[in-house]
Amino acid sequence: MLQLHGEGISPGMALGTFWYCPSQEDLLHLYAQRPSQDPQKEFLRFQEACTQAGKDLNTLYERVAQELGEENAQLFEVHRMMLEDTDYLQAIKEAVLQNLTAESAVCAAFRQFSLLFSSMEDPYMQQRAADVKDISLRLLELLSGEKTALPSGDSPFILAAEELTPSQTARLDPAKIAGILTRKGSPLSHGALFARTMGIPAVSGLGEDVGPRQNGTKAFLNGETGEVLLSLSPEQETSLKVCLSRQRHLKNSEKSQASSSQSQIASPIALYANLGSLADLPSVLQAGAQGIGLFRSEFLFLEKPFPPTEEEQFQAYRSVAEAMNGKPVVIRTLDAGGDKPLSYLKSPPESNPALGMRGIRFGFLHEPLLKKQLRALYRASAFGNLSILFPMISNLWEVRKIRELACQVQDELRQEGFPLGTSVKLGIMVETPAAALLSHELAKLSDFFSIGTNDLMQYTLAVDRQDAALEPYRDPHSPAVLELIRITAENAHKNGIPVSICGALASHTSFLPYFLQAKIDALSVPAGDLPLLRQAISALQ
Ligand code: PEP
Ligand code: MG
């Protein structure tokens, strides 16, 4: 047995079969220089992967052209042409003939061509290095597909990875994943937050000790203490199973005690749940949330390699609005960019993505995408109590522009005969210091505020939320952040609009007295945190 200690980033304990999912970068290392016995067979495998990649790229081209316009789809045409590039194909063929596997031949061609392009002076040609990487990774994933996918079987898995990216997390099936282990990562990274919202226990910061060599063995993790046990013996597994079922029993009775004690008190602060995907809905309903305070709509855009249609979005938003049966549902428009890139919408490389085209800036840059989402949201508003929230606001003009777009979309939909909700509120995330300091003006343009403490802390303290090494500087008690929260709440109330907190700070029960004093109207947290929050509130009364 191997005992490790990392940082607990999503609470709960889990036991399951360990499986390391290689990242794309891992793949390039993993499959370099593997000898083959049968060049002809390898070349055939490569040709089949090429045909499949061509078909996938055509589908992507069509979906992206339809949803985002021809201009954005061009990239996939460039990749498809790369698949026909005689020099690239010849390099792979030669490597296969020199007795490398198809995967290793692709890695060799990738190295050769990316070096060639990146050493050129012309910036346009330098950019082609990124295309070679994309197409080589596409081929590599197709060739090694079976090896990177989770193995079949009912056994719950402990998924291990270099880092949990938002797109990987969006594609997880929570029914199959008992827990997550990562080599790198911080508690405020989007991957970690998605895991929390899905209720999947997770531990990060385990370094190179987790890797493919443990595949298939049994593993245990505790997302609160950060304790991890790998390569368990059958006896250790059995005793941990017993321990886990006792814990679950205890937790369930604590939860029901908490909810019955809570049902007798009127909470001075509304308790909402965060939603990461539709799969979280049952736990939100079971936890008795008073509403959904933050539905991160990103998962719809990250779970597939192409954008969702308006109709797909409408169905998803409608089902959440209907399931909540008249309770408030706050849906945030796509908060992409930064650490949440969309694979099908390549933006020019940014030297500092956290300060780049993310949040509402990404929405304005891809206005047709934002408008399509607004159409889906307004259509769904006829089926419940729906509000729309806009991410990463830092200027007044941004809110004015949002309001204009919202009016345009409503007019269009009315003309097309769609029924719309009568009082859809438009709110903004206060997650930049600029928004907090301008909150007296922003409150006049917004129907509600939602304070995103994860980004507010990042931007106020100048501490990258992704970087685990900066943990000592990431201070939730920072008076600077608390002061910005106080200013925002005061300005919201002066202007008669409600203010909630939807960042991870909302789950810290030690801040409750402060939130109550600042008259925060609602807290929105992962559903699993609601019982504890309720207990803490009733203890204060
Ligand atoms: C936040 O920044 O606090 C927030 C809730 O948004 P996200 O974590 O999705 O960036
Ligand atoms: Mg944020």
Short mmCIF file of all heavy atoms in Angstrom, two decimals, residues 279-343:
data_model
loop_
_atom_site.label_atom_id
_atom_site.label_comp_id
_atom_site.label_asym_id
_atom_site.label_seq_id
_atom_site.Cartn_x
_atom_site.Cartn_y
_atom_site.Cartn_z
N ALA A 279 -26.99 16.82 -14.26
CA ALA A 279 -26.82 15.65 -13.41
C ALA A 279 -26.86 16.02 -11.92
O ALA A 279 -27.10 15.17 -11.07
CB ALA A 279 -25.49 14.97 -13.74
N ASP A 280 -26.63 17.31 -11.60
CA ASP A 280 -26.64 17.73 -10.19
C ASP A 280 -28.06 17.99 -9.67
O ASP A 280 -28.26 18.17 -8.47
CB ASP A 280 -25.87 19.06 -10.01
CG ASP A 280 -24.44 18.98 -10.50
OD1 ASP A 280 -23.90 17.87 -10.52
OD2 ASP A 280 -23.88 20.03 -10.85
N LEU A 281 -29.05 18.04 -10.59
CA LEU A 281 -30.40 18.43 -10.17
C LEU A 281 -30.99 17.57 -9.05
O LEU A 281 -31.50 18.11 -8.06
CB LEU A 281 -31.34 18.40 -11.37
CG LEU A 281 -31.80 19.72 -11.94
CD1 LEU A 281 -32.77 19.52 -13.08
CD2 LEU A 281 -32.43 20.62 -10.88
N PRO A 282 -30.90 16.22 -9.15
CA PRO A 282 -31.50 15.41 -8.07
C PRO A 282 -30.93 15.77 -6.70
O PRO A 282 -31.69 15.90 -5.73
CB PRO A 282 -31.13 13.98 -8.46
CG PRO A 282 -30.88 14.02 -9.93
CD PRO A 282 -30.37 15.39 -10.22
N SER A 283 -29.62 16.00 -6.60
CA SER A 283 -29.08 16.31 -5.28
C SER A 283 -29.50 17.70 -4.81
O SER A 283 -29.68 17.93 -3.62
CB SER A 283 -27.56 16.12 -5.22
OG SER A 283 -26.96 16.82 -6.24
N VAL A 284 -29.70 18.62 -5.75
CA VAL A 284 -30.18 19.96 -5.38
C VAL A 284 -31.61 19.86 -4.83
O VAL A 284 -31.94 20.45 -3.79
CB VAL A 284 -30.16 20.90 -6.61
CG1 VAL A 284 -30.93 22.18 -6.35
CG2 VAL A 284 -28.72 21.21 -7.00
N LEU A 285 -32.44 19.05 -5.50
CA LEU A 285 -33.83 18.90 -5.04
C LEU A 285 -33.87 18.19 -3.70
O LEU A 285 -34.58 18.60 -2.78
CB LEU A 285 -34.65 18.11 -6.09
CG LEU A 285 -34.84 18.82 -7.43
CD1 LEU A 285 -35.43 17.89 -8.46
CD2 LEU A 285 -35.73 20.05 -7.25
N GLN A 286 -33.02 17.16 -3.57
CA GLN A 286 -33.00 16.39 -2.33
C GLN A 286 -32.52 17.25 -1.16
O GLN A 286 -33.01 17.11 -0.04
CB GLN A 286 -32.08 15.20 -2.51
CG GLN A 286 -32.35 14.10 -1.50
CD GLN A 286 -31.21 13.10 -1.49
OE1 GLN A 286 -30.27 13.20 -2.29
NE2 GLN A 286 -31.28 12.15 -0.60
N ALA A 287 -31.60 18.15 -1.43
CA ALA A 287 -31.06 19.00 -0.36
C ALA A 287 -32.04 20.10 0.03
O ALA A 287 -31.80 20.85 0.97
CB ALA A 287 -29.73 19.61 -0.81
N GLY A 288 -33.16 20.21 -0.67
CA GLY A 288 -34.17 21.21 -0.32
C GLY A 288 -33.71 22.64 -0.52
O GLY A 288 -34.06 23.52 0.28
N ALA A 289 -32.92 22.90 -1.57
CA ALA A 289 -32.46 24.27 -1.83
C ALA A 289 -33.66 25.17 -2.09
O ALA A 289 -34.66 24.74 -2.67
CB ALA A 289 -31.54 24.27 -3.04
N GLN A 290 -33.56 26.44 -1.65
CA GLN A 290 -34.66 27.38 -1.88
C GLN A 290 -34.67 27.91 -3.31
O GLN A 290 -35.55 28.65 -3.70
CB GLN A 290 -34.56 28.54 -0.89
CG GLN A 290 -34.91 28.13 0.53
CD GLN A 290 -34.50 29.21 1.52
OE1 GLN A 290 -33.41 29.19 2.07
NE2 GLN A 290 -35.38 30.16 1.76
N GLY A 291 -33.66 27.55 -4.05
CA GLY A 291 -33.58 27.97 -5.44
C GLY A 291 -32.20 27.62 -5.97
O GLY A 291 -31.38 27.02 -5.26
N ILE A 292 -31.94 28.00 -7.21
CA ILE A 292 -30.59 27.81 -7.75
C ILE A 292 -30.00 29.21 -7.92
O ILE A 292 -30.54 30.05 -8.65
CB ILE A 292 -30.65 27.03 -9.08
CG1 ILE A 292 -31.00 25.58 -8.75
CG2 ILE A 292 -29.31 27.10 -9.82
CD1 ILE A 292 -31.28 24.72 -9.92
N GLY A 293 -28.92 29.45 -7.20
CA GLY A 293 -28.34 30.80 -7.19
C GLY A 293 -27.29 30.99 -8.27
O GLY A 293 -26.95 32.11 -8.64
N LEU A 294 -26.75 29.87 -8.76
CA LEU A 294 -25.75 29.96 -9.84
C LEU A 294 -25.77 28.66 -10.63
O LEU A 294 -25.38 27.61 -10.14
CB LEU A 294 -24.34 30.17 -9.26
CG LEU A 294 -23.19 30.06 -10.29
CD1 LEU A 294 -23.26 31.19 -11.31
CD2 LEU A 294 -21.83 30.08 -9.60
N PHE A 295 -26.29 28.75 -11.84
CA PHE A 295 -26.22 27.62 -12.77
C PHE A 295 -25.11 27.99 -13.73
O PHE A 295 -25.27 28.88 -14.56
CB PHE A 295 -27.57 27.47 -13.44
CG PHE A 295 -27.65 26.39 -14.51
CD1 PHE A 295 -26.57 25.56 -14.80
CD2 PHE A 295 -28.83 26.18 -15.21
CE1 PHE A 295 -26.65 24.59 -15.77
CE2 PHE A 295 -28.92 25.21 -16.18
CZ PHE A 295 -27.82 24.42 -16.47
N ARG A 296 -23.94 27.30 -13.60
CA ARG A 296 -22.82 27.59 -14.51
C ARG A 296 -23.14 26.90 -15.84
O ARG A 296 -22.98 25.69 -15.96
CB ARG A 296 -21.51 27.03 -13.94
CG ARG A 296 -20.99 27.77 -12.71
CD ARG A 296 -19.69 27.15 -12.25
NE ARG A 296 -18.97 27.95 -11.27
CZ ARG A 296 -18.98 27.72 -9.95
NH1 ARG A 296 -19.69 26.72 -9.46
NH2 ARG A 296 -18.29 28.49 -9.13
N SER A 297 -23.57 27.67 -16.82
CA SER A 297 -24.03 27.05 -18.07
C SER A 297 -22.87 26.49 -18.91
O SER A 297 -23.10 25.87 -19.94
CB SER A 297 -24.83 28.05 -18.91
OG SER A 297 -24.01 29.12 -19.32
N GLU A 298 -21.64 26.68 -18.43
CA GLU A 298 -20.48 26.23 -19.23
C GLU A 298 -20.54 24.77 -19.64
O GLU A 298 -20.10 24.40 -20.71
CB GLU A 298 -19.16 26.42 -18.45
CG GLU A 298 -18.71 27.83 -18.26
CD GLU A 298 -19.37 28.48 -17.07
OE1 GLU A 298 -18.84 28.40 -15.97
OE2 GLU A 298 -20.43 29.07 -17.28
N PHE A 299 -21.09 23.91 -18.74
CA PHE A 299 -21.00 22.48 -19.02
C PHE A 299 -21.62 22.14 -20.37
O PHE A 299 -21.14 21.28 -21.09
CB PHE A 299 -21.66 21.66 -17.89
CG PHE A 299 -23.11 21.41 -18.11
CD1 PHE A 299 -23.54 20.22 -18.69
CD2 PHE A 299 -24.06 22.36 -17.78
CE1 PHE A 299 -24.89 20.00 -18.93
CE2 PHE A 299 -25.39 22.14 -18.01
CZ PHE A 299 -25.81 20.95 -18.59
N LEU A 300 -22.68 22.89 -20.74
CA LEU A 300 -23.34 22.63 -22.03
C LEU A 300 -22.38 22.87 -23.20
O LEU A 300 -22.50 22.28 -24.26
CB LEU A 300 -24.51 23.59 -22.20
CG LEU A 300 -25.81 23.21 -21.53
CD1 LEU A 300 -26.78 24.37 -21.59
CD2 LEU A 300 -26.42 22.00 -22.24
N PHE A 301 -21.45 23.79 -22.97
CA PHE A 301 -20.52 24.19 -24.04
C PHE A 301 -19.22 23.40 -23.99
O PHE A 301 -18.43 23.42 -24.93
CB PHE A 301 -20.22 25.69 -23.94
CG PHE A 301 -21.42 26.55 -24.16
CD1 PHE A 301 -22.33 26.76 -23.13
CD2 PHE A 301 -21.66 27.10 -25.40
CE1 PHE A 301 -23.46 27.54 -23.34
CE2 PHE A 301 -22.78 27.88 -25.63
CZ PHE A 301 -23.69 28.11 -24.58
N LEU A 302 -18.98 22.74 -22.85
CA LEU A 302 -17.70 22.04 -22.68
C LEU A 302 -17.83 20.53 -22.85
O LEU A 302 -16.87 19.84 -23.13
CB LEU A 302 -17.14 22.30 -21.28
CG LEU A 302 -16.66 23.73 -20.97
CD1 LEU A 302 -16.47 23.91 -19.48
CD2 LEU A 302 -15.36 24.02 -21.71
N GLU A 303 -19.06 20.01 -22.65
CA GLU A 303 -19.19 18.55 -22.59
C GLU A 303 -19.04 17.89 -23.96
O GLU A 303 -18.78 16.70 -24.05
CB GLU A 303 -20.51 18.14 -21.92
CG GLU A 303 -21.71 18.51 -22.74
CD GLU A 303 -23.04 18.11 -22.11
OE1 GLU A 303 -23.03 17.39 -21.11
OE2 GLU A 303 -24.07 18.53 -22.65
N LYS A 304 -19.22 18.65 -25.03
CA LYS A 304 -19.10 18.08 -26.37
C LYS A 304 -18.04 18.85 -27.15
O LYS A 304 -17.74 19.99 -26.82
CB LYS A 304 -20.44 18.19 -27.10
CG LYS A 304 -21.55 17.44 -26.41
CD LYS A 304 -22.58 16.97 -27.43
CE LYS A 304 -23.71 16.25 -26.75
NZ LYS A 304 -24.88 17.10 -26.56
N PRO A 305 -17.51 18.24 -28.23
CA PRO A 305 -16.49 18.96 -29.00
C PRO A 305 -17.07 20.01 -29.94
O PRO A 305 -16.35 20.60 -30.72
CB PRO A 305 -15.80 17.84 -29.79
CG PRO A 305 -16.77 16.73 -29.84
CD PRO A 305 -17.69 16.86 -28.67
N PHE A 306 -18.40 20.22 -29.88
CA PHE A 306 -19.01 21.26 -30.72
C PHE A 306 -20.05 22.01 -29.88
O PHE A 306 -20.50 21.52 -28.83
CB PHE A 306 -19.65 20.65 -31.98
CG PHE A 306 -20.34 19.34 -31.73
CD1 PHE A 306 -21.58 19.31 -31.12
CD2 PHE A 306 -19.74 18.14 -32.09
CE1 PHE A 306 -22.21 18.11 -30.87
CE2 PHE A 306 -20.38 16.93 -31.85
CZ PHE A 306 -21.62 16.92 -31.23
N PRO A 307 -20.46 23.21 -30.34
CA PRO A 307 -21.37 24.02 -29.51
C PRO A 307 -22.79 23.45 -29.49
O PRO A 307 -23.24 22.85 -30.47
CB PRO A 307 -21.35 25.39 -30.20
CG PRO A 307 -20.89 25.12 -31.59
CD PRO A 307 -20.04 23.89 -31.57
N PRO A 308 -23.52 23.67 -28.39
CA PRO A 308 -24.92 23.21 -28.35
C PRO A 308 -25.79 24.08 -29.24
O PRO A 308 -25.49 25.27 -29.43
CB PRO A 308 -25.30 23.40 -26.87
CG PRO A 308 -24.43 24.50 -26.39
CD PRO A 308 -23.14 24.40 -27.16
N THR A 309 -26.86 23.53 -29.76
CA THR A 309 -27.78 24.33 -30.56
C THR A 309 -28.67 25.14 -29.61
O THR A 309 -28.73 24.85 -28.41
CB THR A 309 -28.70 23.43 -31.42
OG1 THR A 309 -29.46 22.63 -30.51
CG2 THR A 309 -27.93 22.54 -32.37
N GLU A 310 -29.38 26.11 -30.18
CA GLU A 310 -30.32 26.88 -29.35
C GLU A 310 -31.34 25.95 -28.72
O GLU A 310 -31.68 26.08 -27.54
CB GLU A 310 -31.02 27.92 -30.24
CG GLU A 310 -32.05 28.74 -29.50
CD GLU A 310 -32.80 29.69 -30.41
OE1 GLU A 310 -32.18 30.34 -31.26
OE2 GLU A 310 -34.04 29.80 -30.23
N GLU A 311 -31.81 24.99 -29.52
CA GLU A 311 -32.84 24.07 -29.03
C GLU A 311 -32.32 23.22 -27.87
O GLU A 311 -33.01 23.04 -26.86
CB GLU A 311 -33.30 23.17 -30.21
CG GLU A 311 -34.53 22.35 -29.96
CD GLU A 311 -35.77 23.17 -29.58
OE1 GLU A 311 -35.89 24.33 -29.98
OE2 GLU A 311 -36.60 22.60 -28.83
N GLU A 312 -31.08 22.72 -28.00
CA GLU A 312 -30.51 21.91 -26.91
C GLU A 312 -30.39 22.74 -25.63
O GLU A 312 -30.68 22.27 -24.53
CB GLU A 312 -29.12 21.39 -27.31
CG GLU A 312 -29.18 20.22 -28.27
CD GLU A 312 -27.83 19.94 -28.97
OE1 GLU A 312 -26.91 20.78 -28.89
OE2 GLU A 312 -27.73 18.88 -29.59
N GLN A 313 -29.96 24.00 -25.79
CA GLN A 313 -29.85 24.86 -24.62
C GLN A 313 -31.22 25.12 -24.02
O GLN A 313 -31.40 25.02 -22.81
CB GLN A 313 -29.24 26.21 -25.01
CG GLN A 313 -27.78 26.13 -25.39
CD GLN A 313 -27.21 27.54 -25.52
OE1 GLN A 313 -27.17 28.30 -24.58
NE2 GLN A 313 -26.77 27.88 -26.71
N PHE A 314 -32.18 25.43 -24.88
CA PHE A 314 -33.54 25.71 -24.40
C PHE A 314 -34.06 24.53 -23.56
O PHE A 314 -34.59 24.72 -22.46
CB PHE A 314 -34.45 26.00 -25.60
CG PHE A 314 -35.91 25.86 -25.31
CD1 PHE A 314 -36.54 26.76 -24.45
CD2 PHE A 314 -36.66 24.83 -25.86
CE1 PHE A 314 -37.90 26.61 -24.16
CE2 PHE A 314 -38.00 24.69 -25.57
CZ PHE A 314 -38.63 25.58 -24.72
N GLN A 315 -33.88 23.31 -24.09
CA GLN A 315 -34.39 22.12 -23.37
C GLN A 315 -33.72 22.01 -22.00
O GLN A 315 -34.38 21.68 -21.02
CB GLN A 315 -34.12 20.84 -24.18
CG GLN A 315 -34.89 20.73 -25.49
CD GLN A 315 -36.41 20.71 -25.29
OE1 GLN A 315 -36.91 20.56 -24.18
NE2 GLN A 315 -37.15 20.91 -26.38
N ALA A 316 -32.40 22.27 -21.95
CA ALA A 316 -31.68 22.14 -20.67
C ALA A 316 -32.18 23.19 -19.67
O ALA A 316 -32.49 22.87 -18.52
CB ALA A 316 -30.18 22.30 -20.91
N TYR A 317 -32.29 24.44 -20.10
CA TYR A 317 -32.72 25.51 -19.19
C TYR A 317 -34.18 25.29 -18.75
O TYR A 317 -34.53 25.50 -17.60
CB TYR A 317 -32.57 26.90 -19.84
CG TYR A 317 -31.18 27.18 -20.40
CD1 TYR A 317 -30.98 27.94 -21.55
CD2 TYR A 317 -30.05 26.67 -19.76
CE1 TYR A 317 -29.71 28.19 -22.05
CE2 TYR A 317 -28.77 26.91 -20.26
CZ TYR A 317 -28.62 27.66 -21.40
OH TYR A 317 -27.36 27.90 -21.91
N ARG A 318 -34.99 24.85 -19.72
CA ARG A 318 -36.39 24.61 -19.39
C ARG A 318 -36.51 23.51 -18.34
O ARG A 318 -37.29 23.62 -17.40
CB ARG A 318 -37.14 24.22 -20.68
CG ARG A 318 -38.57 23.84 -20.42
CD ARG A 318 -39.27 23.37 -21.68
NE ARG A 318 -40.56 22.82 -21.30
CZ ARG A 318 -41.53 22.58 -22.16
NH1 ARG A 318 -41.37 22.81 -23.43
NH2 ARG A 318 -42.67 22.07 -21.74
N SER A 319 -35.72 22.43 -18.51
CA SER A 319 -35.87 21.32 -17.56
C SER A 319 -35.46 21.75 -16.15
O SER A 319 -36.07 21.33 -15.17
CB SER A 319 -35.13 20.07 -18.03
OG SER A 319 -33.77 20.34 -18.14
N VAL A 320 -34.47 22.63 -16.02
CA VAL A 320 -34.08 23.10 -14.69
C VAL A 320 -35.20 24.00 -14.13
O VAL A 320 -35.61 23.85 -12.97
CB VAL A 320 -32.75 23.88 -14.74
CG1 VAL A 320 -32.40 24.44 -13.38
CG2 VAL A 320 -31.63 22.98 -15.22
N ALA A 321 -35.69 24.92 -14.95
CA ALA A 321 -36.74 25.84 -14.49
C ALA A 321 -37.95 25.04 -14.04
O ALA A 321 -38.53 25.31 -12.98
CB ALA A 321 -37.11 26.81 -15.61
N GLU A 322 -38.33 24.03 -14.82
CA GLU A 322 -39.52 23.23 -14.47
C GLU A 322 -39.29 22.41 -13.20
O GLU A 322 -40.14 22.32 -12.33
CB GLU A 322 -39.92 22.33 -15.63
CG GLU A 322 -40.59 23.12 -16.74
CD GLU A 322 -41.05 22.27 -17.91
OE1 GLU A 322 -40.49 21.16 -18.10
OE2 GLU A 322 -41.94 22.71 -18.64
N ALA A 323 -38.08 21.81 -13.11
CA ALA A 323 -37.79 20.96 -11.95
C ALA A 323 -37.84 21.80 -10.66
O ALA A 323 -38.22 21.30 -9.61
CB ALA A 323 -36.42 20.32 -12.09
N MET A 324 -37.48 23.07 -10.73
CA MET A 324 -37.46 23.89 -9.51
C MET A 324 -38.85 24.44 -9.18
O MET A 324 -39.04 25.08 -8.14
CB MET A 324 -36.44 25.03 -9.64
CG MET A 324 -34.99 24.57 -9.67
SD MET A 324 -34.52 23.45 -8.34
CE MET A 324 -34.48 24.57 -6.94
N ASN A 325 -39.80 24.21 -10.09
CA ASN A 325 -41.21 24.43 -9.77
C ASN A 325 -41.51 25.82 -9.17
O ASN A 325 -42.10 25.92 -8.09
CB ASN A 325 -41.62 23.31 -8.79
CG ASN A 325 -43.11 23.09 -8.79
OD1 ASN A 325 -43.80 23.58 -9.70
ND2 ASN A 325 -43.61 22.40 -7.78
N GLY A 326 -41.11 26.85 -9.83
CA GLY A 326 -41.45 28.22 -9.38
C GLY A 326 -40.40 28.84 -8.47
O GLY A 326 -40.42 30.05 -8.22
N LYS A 327 -39.45 28.03 -7.94
CA LYS A 327 -38.39 28.62 -7.12
C LYS A 327 -37.41 29.34 -8.05
O LYS A 327 -37.26 28.97 -9.21
CB LYS A 327 -37.64 27.51 -6.37
CG LYS A 327 -38.45 26.89 -5.25
CD LYS A 327 -37.63 25.83 -4.57
CE LYS A 327 -38.43 25.15 -3.47
NZ LYS A 327 -37.85 23.89 -3.06
N PRO A 328 -36.71 30.34 -7.53
CA PRO A 328 -35.80 31.09 -8.41
C PRO A 328 -34.67 30.24 -9.00
O PRO A 328 -34.11 29.39 -8.31
CB PRO A 328 -35.20 32.17 -7.49
CG PRO A 328 -35.82 32.00 -6.17
CD PRO A 328 -36.73 30.84 -6.16
N VAL A 329 -34.40 30.48 -10.26
CA VAL A 329 -33.29 29.79 -10.94
C VAL A 329 -32.46 30.87 -11.64
O VAL A 329 -32.96 31.56 -12.52
CB VAL A 329 -33.81 28.79 -12.00
CG1 VAL A 329 -32.66 28.21 -12.81
CG2 VAL A 329 -34.61 27.67 -11.35
N VAL A 330 -31.22 31.03 -11.20
CA VAL A 330 -30.34 32.04 -11.80
C VAL A 330 -29.37 31.33 -12.74
O VAL A 330 -28.55 30.52 -12.30
CB VAL A 330 -29.55 32.80 -10.71
CG1 VAL A 330 -28.61 33.82 -11.35
CG2 VAL A 330 -30.49 33.48 -9.74
N ILE A 331 -29.48 31.61 -14.03
CA ILE A 331 -28.59 30.95 -15.00
C ILE A 331 -27.56 31.96 -15.49
O ILE A 331 -27.92 33.06 -15.96
CB ILE A 331 -29.38 30.36 -16.18
CG1 ILE A 331 -30.46 29.40 -15.65
CG2 ILE A 331 -28.43 29.63 -17.14
CD1 ILE A 331 -31.23 28.64 -16.71
N ARG A 332 -26.30 31.60 -15.35
CA ARG A 332 -25.24 32.50 -15.80
C ARG A 332 -24.92 32.22 -17.26
O ARG A 332 -24.82 31.07 -17.67
CB ARG A 332 -23.99 32.27 -14.95
CG ARG A 332 -22.86 33.22 -15.30
CD ARG A 332 -21.71 33.09 -14.35
NE ARG A 332 -20.97 31.85 -14.55
CZ ARG A 332 -19.96 31.48 -13.77
NH1 ARG A 332 -19.61 32.22 -12.74
NH2 ARG A 332 -19.32 30.37 -14.00
N THR A 333 -24.77 33.29 -18.04
CA THR A 333 -24.40 33.09 -19.44
C THR A 333 -22.97 32.53 -19.49
O THR A 333 -22.22 32.64 -18.52
CB THR A 333 -24.49 34.39 -20.27
OG1 THR A 333 -23.61 35.35 -19.69
CG2 THR A 333 -25.91 34.93 -20.31
N LEU A 334 -22.65 31.97 -20.62
CA LEU A 334 -21.37 31.27 -20.80
C LEU A 334 -20.20 32.08 -20.25
O LEU A 334 -19.95 33.21 -20.69
CB LEU A 334 -21.19 31.00 -22.29
CG LEU A 334 -19.85 30.39 -22.70
CD1 LEU A 334 -19.70 29.01 -22.08
CD2 LEU A 334 -19.78 30.28 -24.22
N ASP A 335 -19.49 31.49 -19.29
CA ASP A 335 -18.30 32.15 -18.72
C ASP A 335 -17.07 31.41 -19.25
O ASP A 335 -16.41 30.70 -18.51
CB ASP A 335 -18.39 32.08 -17.19
CG ASP A 335 -17.27 32.85 -16.51
OD1 ASP A 335 -16.60 33.65 -17.17
OD2 ASP A 335 -17.05 32.64 -15.30
N ALA A 336 -16.82 31.58 -20.54
CA ALA A 336 -15.69 30.84 -21.15
C ALA A 336 -14.48 31.77 -21.26
O ALA A 336 -14.51 32.93 -20.87
CB ALA A 336 -16.10 30.32 -22.52
N GLY A 337 -13.41 31.21 -21.81
CA GLY A 337 -12.15 31.95 -21.90
C GLY A 337 -11.35 31.69 -20.64
O GLY A 337 -11.78 30.92 -19.76
N GLY A 338 -10.19 32.30 -20.51
CA GLY A 338 -9.34 32.06 -19.33
C GLY A 338 -9.00 30.59 -19.22
O GLY A 338 -8.52 29.98 -20.18
N ASP A 339 -9.31 29.99 -18.05
CA ASP A 339 -9.00 28.57 -17.89
C ASP A 339 -10.11 27.68 -18.44
O ASP A 339 -10.07 26.47 -18.26
CB ASP A 339 -8.73 28.25 -16.42
CG ASP A 339 -9.98 28.35 -15.59
OD1 ASP A 339 -10.76 29.30 -15.82
OD2 ASP A 339 -10.21 27.48 -14.72
N LYS A 340 -11.13 28.28 -19.08
CA LYS A 340 -12.21 27.47 -19.66
C LYS A 340 -12.28 27.68 -21.17
O LYS A 340 -13.24 28.26 -21.68
CB LYS A 340 -13.54 27.83 -19.00
CG LYS A 340 -13.66 27.33 -17.58
CD LYS A 340 -15.00 27.66 -16.96
CE LYS A 340 -15.01 29.04 -16.40
NZ LYS A 340 -16.21 29.34 -15.59
N PRO A 341 -11.24 27.26 -21.89
CA PRO A 341 -11.28 27.46 -23.35
C PRO A 341 -12.28 26.50 -23.99
O PRO A 341 -12.53 25.42 -23.46
CB PRO A 341 -9.85 27.12 -23.77
CG PRO A 341 -9.34 26.20 -22.71
CD PRO A 341 -10.06 26.53 -21.44
N LEU A 342 -12.86 26.92 -25.10
CA LEU A 342 -13.73 26.02 -25.86
C LEU A 342 -12.89 25.47 -27.01
O LEU A 342 -12.30 26.24 -27.77
CB LEU A 342 -14.93 26.78 -26.42
CG LEU A 342 -15.84 27.47 -25.41
CD1 LEU A 342 -17.01 28.15 -26.11
CD2 LEU A 342 -16.37 26.47 -24.38
N SER A 343 -12.85 24.14 -27.13
CA SER A 343 -11.94 23.54 -28.11
C SER A 343 -12.29 23.96 -29.54
O SER A 343 -11.44 23.98 -30.42
CB SER A 343 -11.97 22.02 -27.99
OG SER A 343 -13.28 21.57 -28.24
#
